[in-house]
């Protein structure tokens, strides 16, 4: 059973399951688990792992339009190495500082592979948390940042040489879009982070909001590293940017009149890439059905 099937199975008992984070009063809380074999390619430094693991949870807080306040993490490995642990903590501290949050501790354990579980908490703004279920036909479809950096990083990790691995680690250390989420909190009608990829995110938003989406692929801002990897192959360029996942950008629906003010307020950049349409029109790119393909948990 994959994650989405599991969430559907849990829906009767957990009606709020499915958003990027849980909301308790004004507090937003989320947790993630990452494993060496599935999430950290050979060459990933412990500093990058600490940054990326905690950053993934901070990204979920951002997707709710909340202010990140703190994070903790579990660090588990087959053997204790104080230098690796120190570097992991350094990455966790630095990514928290990048979004004006604080790394406040965690837990240590043993495991047959390097594994980490991170939890981040935040405070909802007066506008309330932004969920995935409020998009309306006529809204603009918008995204933050640039897409495909994690796909490019994975290709570079596979090359294995020192220069490529160093570049890959740099690409893996994304900045969680907390500031952008806060800028969008008053404007976005629905929002989520893109850990599963743009295409899969649109299908998830479509299901939650009972709408369709019309994507214009030519408007999608693609990270320059993808152009280096794709080497002019437009189909591969779009595949890496839209279907790979793990970029941790924000995908949101914004009323037409709010797009320009939101763009000006987002420090990571906001690009309109399409429109919200009626559910009967489905999820399309250039008028063709956009496959529900991306990162799958499980």
């Amino acid at each position: 059973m994959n994650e989405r099937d599991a969430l559907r199975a849990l829906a009767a008992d957990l009606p709020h399951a499915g958003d990027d984070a849980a909301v308790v009063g004004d507090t937003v809380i989320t947790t993630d688990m990452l494993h060496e074999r599935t999430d950290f390619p050979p060459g990933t430094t412990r500093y990058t792992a600490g940054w990326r693991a905690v950053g993934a949870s901070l990204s979920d807080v951002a997707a709710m339009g909340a202010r990140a306040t703190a994070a903790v993490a579990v660090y588990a490995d087959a053997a204790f190495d104080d230098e690796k642990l120190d570097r992991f903590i350094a990455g966790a501290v630095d990514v928290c500082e990048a979004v004006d949050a604080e790394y406040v501790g965690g837990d240590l354990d043993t495991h047959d592979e390097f594994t980490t579980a991170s939890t981040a908490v935040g405070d909802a703004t007066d506008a309330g948390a932004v969920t995935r279920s409020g998009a309306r036909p006529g809204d603009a479809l918008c995204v933050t940042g640039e897409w495909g950096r994690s796909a490019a990083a994975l290709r570079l990790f596979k090359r294995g040489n020192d220069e490529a691995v160093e570049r890959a680690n740099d690409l893996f250390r994304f900045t969680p879009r907390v500031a952008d989420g806060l800028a969008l909190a008053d404007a976005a009608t629905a929002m989520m982070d893109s850990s599963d990829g743009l295409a899969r995110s649109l299908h998830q938003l479509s299901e939650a909001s009972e709408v369709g989406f019309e994507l214009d692929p030519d408007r999608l801002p693609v990270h320059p590293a993808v152009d280096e990897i794709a080497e002019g192959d437009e189909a591969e360029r779009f595949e890496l940017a839209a279907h790979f996942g793990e970029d941790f950008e924000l995908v949101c629906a914004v009323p037409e009149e709010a797009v320009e003010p939101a763009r000006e307020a987002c420090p990571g950049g906001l690009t309109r890439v399409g429109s919200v349409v009626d559910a009967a029109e489905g999820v399309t790119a250039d008028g063709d059905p956009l496959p529900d393909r991306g990162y799958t948990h499980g």
Side-chain angles (χ1 to χ4, degrees):
M1 180 180 288
N2 67 32
E3 183 185 41
R4 290 172 70 186
D5 290 335
L7 287 171
R8 292 187 186 105
L10 291 170
D13 296 321
L14 299 172
H16 298 293
D19 277 311
D20 290 79
V23 182
V24 183
D26 293 328
T27 300
V28 170
I29 184 167
T30 184
T31 191
D32 294 277
M33 181 178 286
L34 302 179
H35 304 273
E36 185 166 25
R37 279 173 287 187
T38 55
D39 298 292
F40 302 120
T44 305
T45 66
R46 283 294 193 267
Y47 178 83
T48 295
W51 180 294
R52 190 168 178 83
V54 174
S57 291
L58 292 169
S59 180
D60 285 335
V61 172
M64 304 298 288
R67 181 175 294 102
T69 57
V72 298
V74 174
Y75 179 98
D77 209 344
F80 177 74
D81 184 313
D82 56 353
E83 183 178 354
K84 287 183 177 180
L85 175 59
D86 286 346
R87 296 310 297 153
F88 177 90
I89 297 300
V93 168
D94 286 351
V95 74
C96 284
E97 290 182 350
V99 297
D100 295 326
E102 185 177 5
Y103 184 75
V104 294
D107 191 25
L108 300 173
D109 205 344
T110 57
H111 201 285
D112 59 3
E113 66 169 325
F114 168 54
T115 299
T116 178
S118 56
T119 297
V121 295
D123 297 324
T125 69
D126 291 340
V130 185
T131 68
R132 300 179 181 184
S133 59
R136 301 164 299 194
D139 287 347
L141 171 62
C142 301
V143 299
T144 60
E146 296 174 319
W147 293 69
R149 63 183 293 149
S150 288
L154 188 62
R155 295 284 182 89
L156 290 167
F157 274 123
K158 288 180 177 178
R159 291 182 181 177
N161 63 72
D162 290 346
E163 182 179 355
V165 168
E166 182 179 0
R167 173 71 167 141
N169 274 282
D170 179 64
L171 290 169
F172 250 28
R173 295 192 296 269
F174 65 93
T175 300
R177 299 301 187 188
V178 173
D180 302 86
L182 287 169
L184 289 161
D186 288 324
T189 56
M191 185 159 62
M192 66 180 293
D193 92 337
S194 67
S195 56
D196 294 340
L198 177 60
R200 180 144 291 170
S201 295
L202 292 181
H203 281 273
Q204 291 170 326
L205 283 173
S206 172
E207 184 176 341
S209 289
E210 298 182 344
V211 296
F213 290 98
E214 185 179 87
L215 173 68
D216 183 348
D218 292 335
R219 294 186 180 186
L220 183 64
V222 177
H223 195 280
V226 174
D227 291 317
E228 300 168 22
I229 297 299
E231 298 180 342
D233 186 329
E234 287 300 317
E236 183 178 22
R237 183 177 186 267
F238 182 71
E239 178 72 22
L240 296 176
H243 291 287
F244 182 85
E246 300 288 284
D247 283 328
F248 300 99
E249 294 292 351
L250 300 180
V251 186
C252 59
V254 179
E256 285 283 356
E257 66 275 10
V259 172
E260 192 55 39
R263 180 183 291 118
E264 293 176 358
C266 283
L270 186 74
T271 303
R272 177 176 181 166
V273 294
S275 302
V276 183
V277 297
D278 290 333
E281 297 182 47
V283 179
T284 62
D286 265 345
D288 295 321
L290 180 65
D292 183 1
R293 189 175 68 252
Y295 185 82
T296 298
H297 303 265

